[in-house]
Amino acid sequence: MQCLDITRAENAEKQLEMLKMFHHFQHLAELYHAYHSIQRYTDEPFSSHLPEALFNISRFLLHNLTKETPLGISKVNTLYALAKQSKALGAYKLARHAYDKLQGLRIPARFQESIELGSLTIRSKPFHDSEDFVPMCYRCSTNNPLLNNQGNVCINCRQPFVFSASSYEVLPLVQFYLEEGITDEEAVALIDREVPRTEPKKDGWQEKNIGDVQTLQLDDSTVKIEADPFTAKLSFEQGSSDFVPVIVNREVLQSMSRRDVLIKRWAKPLRWHYYRSLLPDVSITMCPTCFQMFHSEDYELLVLQHNCCPYCRRPIDEPGL
């Protein structure tokens, strides 16, 4: 946030430099936050995280450690946690991959016996992964591999995944961008306007009672369910290696429900980030300070335990929260 404060008082060249630093530090903060759970799992005798959460966190980190590993983050610990949790959850193919990768790294003596034993016992398991944990892209409905060479993006449409900052499950959110000429203030006003939709009939059958006779007749004039304008914007060119962002106009913004839209209201000179939930029944909470997103039940539980945001640690009783 300090980088953003500096950009408002400096020249254009300094602004670009500070914005680059802001995004770099933001990325590092996400990695260190996730790795904290891995380090506690490997260094402490007990862990408060469920196996599914450690499994997701390990995958999230490995997808971000393809080029370089930041200081203080251990790839051995991450692969070790992934191997153990993958084996426990039935992702045997992924567990074997993690154990194979560990063989090429310098392993601490305290892990040596466990890794050697795990490398042997995993050979007796089927060479496939359980489909229960396969991540799905909510834009194109593509099932993605557990380890993705592209990183934390869909292998089909290249849409970046949005993760919960506690369980690191993929949230049913798709980021969209405003058409040129639409300001943030106008976009919010259009979303808040929310044109009411008429409820269509559930089916085309009409019941009629004529004397003692009951009949069912198909009504051809049944109102058809109108397509969601935002859903139509999710289409993209199949086979393209380039990411095509979802760009919406004023008509699409006005058709949205305010309950389904989350907005990261970044300070200037950054533009706000807009996300549309494709599963309205899944409750999502966003911290108004750090703009990290969580499943609502996870966020509420962590807030009750620590009385602060689990990511940025800002006390909940402070003004503005």
Side-chain angles (χ1 to χ4, degrees):
M1 291 301 182
Q2 292 178 346
C3 294
L4 290 182
D5 294 337
I6 295 173
T7 58
R8 291 194 288 268
E10 299 290 343
N11 54 40
E13 184 178 349
K14 190 69 173 178
Q15 279 188 0
L16 291 176
E17 182 184 349
M18 287 295 105
L19 284 176
K20 186 177 179 180
M21 289 181 62
F22 168 77
H23 291 299
H24 174 66
F25 291 142
Q26 182 88 354
H27 178 65
L28 286 179
E30 292 175 355
L31 295 185
Y32 285 124
H33 174 75
Y35 182 71
H36 176 67
S37 302
I38 298 297
Q39 186 168 22
R40 291 190 62 183
Y41 169 72
T42 56
D43 293 357
E44 298 179 5
F46 301 104
S47 173
S48 60
H49 286 83
L50 295 173
E52 292 84 354
L54 292 169
F55 176 76
N56 292 330
I57 293 170
S58 303
R59 290 176 44 252
F60 171 82
L61 283 171
L62 284 180
H63 287 147
N64 283 284
L65 300 179
T66 54
K67 295 182 180 179
E68 59 179 348
T69 304
L71 184 66
I73 293 181
S74 169
K75 205 166 186 177
V76 171
N77 287 2
T78 305
L79 283 168
Y80 178 73
L82 179 63
K84 297 279 285 185
Q85 303 309 320
S86 298
K87 185 178 178 182
L89 295 172
Y92 302 123
K93 183 179 177 181
L94 180 57
R96 186 180 297 192
H97 172 82
Y99 278 121
D100 289 344
K101 286 289 186 182
L102 283 167
Q103 299 303 321
L105 300 175
R106 184 179 296 175
I107 302 172
R110 60 195 177 102
F111 292 152
Q112 192 77 43
E113 183 179 352
S114 176
I115 291 175
E116 289 178 357
L117 181 61
S119 299
L120 290 174
T121 56
I122 196 62
R123 304 291 171 181
S124 65
K125 302 296 183 182
F127 190 64
H128 65 78
D129 294 323
S130 171
E131 296 182 358
D132 296 339
F133 304 101
V134 173
M136 188 189 75
C137 173
Y138 286 94
R139 177 176 179 179
C140 65
S141 301
T142 299
N143 286 331
N144 283 254
L146 292 176
L147 272 188
N148 186 351
N149 293 331
Q150 304 292 333
N152 287 316
V153 299
C154 174
I155 58 172
N156 187 26
C157 66
R158 304 296 191 272
Q159 180 74 32
F161 293 128
V162 182
F163 295 92
S164 164
S166 57
S167 65
Y168 283 84
E169 294 178 2
V170 177
L171 296 173
L173 298 174
V174 172
Q175 184 175 5
F176 62 91
Y177 300 84
L178 305 179
E179 196 176 61
E180 189 175 352
I182 303 178
T183 64
D184 291 325
E185 291 74 16
E186 182 184 1
V188 172
L190 289 169
I191 295 171
D192 287 340
R193 193 176 300 174
E194 191 177 341
V195 176
R197 296 181 182 179
T198 55
E199 287 290 333
K201 298 178 182 179
K202 292 184 179 179
D203 52 39
W205 294 98
Q206 285 187 338
E207 182 179 346
K208 291 184 178 180
N209 295 322
I210 305 175
D212 296 331
V213 180
Q214 291 183 333
T215 61
L216 285 175
Q217 182 179 355
L218 183 63
D219 185 6
D220 295 333
S221 63
T222 302
V223 180
K224 295 183 178 179
I225 300 175
E226 294 183 1
D228 184 358
F230 181 80
T231 306
K233 294 287 185 179
L234 299 181
S235 60
F236 62 96
E237 184 179 351
Q238 293 282 351
S240 174
S241 59
D242 298 326
F243 170 58
V244 180
V246 179
I247 301 176
V248 302
N249 54 26
R250 292 176 174 84
E251 181 184 355
V252 177
L253 288 170
Q254 194 166 345
S255 70
M256 293 183 185
S257 169
R258 187 66 184 87
R259 298 181 298 274
D260 301 339
V261 178
L262 292 110
I263 306 174
K264 294 184 177 181
R265 301 173 186 249
W266 291 110
K268 292 185 181 300
L270 293 179
R271 292 293 301 269
W272 292 356
H273 292 177
Y274 298 84
Y275 299 85
R276 163 75 185 272
S277 174
L278 298 184
L279 295 179
D281 292 338
V282 177
S283 181
I284 299 171
T285 298
M286 181 180 69
C287 173
T289 305
C290 62
F291 303 122
Q292 290 294 327
M293 301 182 188
F294 308 81
H295 286 295
S296 294
E297 59 270 21
D298 295 340
Y299 183 79
E300 291 168 2
L301 177 61
L302 290 167
V303 166
L304 286 174
Q305 291 174 344
H306 306 289
N307 196 35
C308 63
C309 169
Y311 186 88
C312 66
R313 300 290 190 261
R314 179 172 179 178
I316 297 301
D317 54 4
E318 280 192 16
L321 287 182

